[in-house]
Amino acid sequence: MVASQRELDRLRAQVDVERTRRYPDVTFNVGARRNNELGLTQALVGVSIPIPVFDRNQGNLYQALSRADQARDQQQVLAARLGFELRRASAALTVSRESASTLRTAILPAAQQAFDAATRGFEAGKFSFLEVLDSQRTLFQARARYLDQLASAYQAAATIDRILGR
């Protein structure tokens, strides 16, 4: 947004420059001329004022105005896109945090208890080794989902920081 604003400011300044070029520059001339036949030195003063009948710099002014309008439109599009991305990242952050919290407080302890019970049951001869492996796989999947949700939360927070310029 900062770069977009600076570009818009630059193009608006270019419009101002082109507006000032619509009016001709007045030129003053001062000098001296020696006339050898008469033996005199004459002072010369001149003023030159171009008359802008055919060229009022309208083409360049129109082009500068078009560029400034285009930059303003692009800035508005960028602001809308960044606002959308900010809302999306904020929602993703909220969902990821809630999911990670649920996994940490409810699912991971339950999966750990199931694995511990299956291990004790296997040692006592009540469960088969496949049931222990199944409970271990469930525990590992829950841990992986928890880590995925934490990673998603950190990515969403980093996206928010990037958009806000932190």
Side-chain angles (χ1 to χ4, degrees), residues 5-78:
Q5 183 61 43
R6 287 186 180 151
E7 178 66 13
L8 182 59
D9 291 343
R10 185 188 70 80
L11 290 172
R12 284 181 178 161
Q14 185 66 33
V15 168
D16 293 340
V17 167
E18 294 300 334
R19 277 198 177 118
T20 60
R21 290 183 180 168
R22 287 192 306 187
Y23 305 108
D25 293 332
V26 177
T27 306
F28 295 100
N29 299 320
V30 178
R33 183 172 73 177
R34 173 83 177 151
N35 190 342
N36 289 332
E37 292 177 5
L38 298 176
L40 297 173
T41 301
Q42 299 173 336
L44 299 174
V45 178
V47 177
S48 172
I49 304 173
I51 300 175
V53 175
F54 297 108
D55 183 21
R56 295 191 51 180
N57 202 31
Q58 291 174 345
N60 291 335
L61 178 60
Y62 178 74
Q63 187 177 21
L65 284 169
S66 296
R67 286 182 186 151
D69 289 342
Q70 184 180 17
R72 187 188 71 241
D73 293 343
Q74 287 175 350
Q75 184 182 28
Q76 290 173 349
V77 167
L78 179 64

Side-chain angles (χ1 to χ4, degrees), residues 96 100 144-158:
S96 295
R145 280 192 313 210
Y146 174 69
L147 293 175
D148 286 342
Q149 291 303 317
L150 282 180
S152 295
Y154 281 114
Q155 286 175 344

Side-chain angles (χ1 to χ4, degrees), residues 122 127-137:
F122 175 72
F127 297 122
S128 68
F129 188 64
L130 287 176
E131 291 169 330
V132 174
L133 289 177
D134 187 41
S135 65
Q136 184 183 33
R137 180 176 46 95

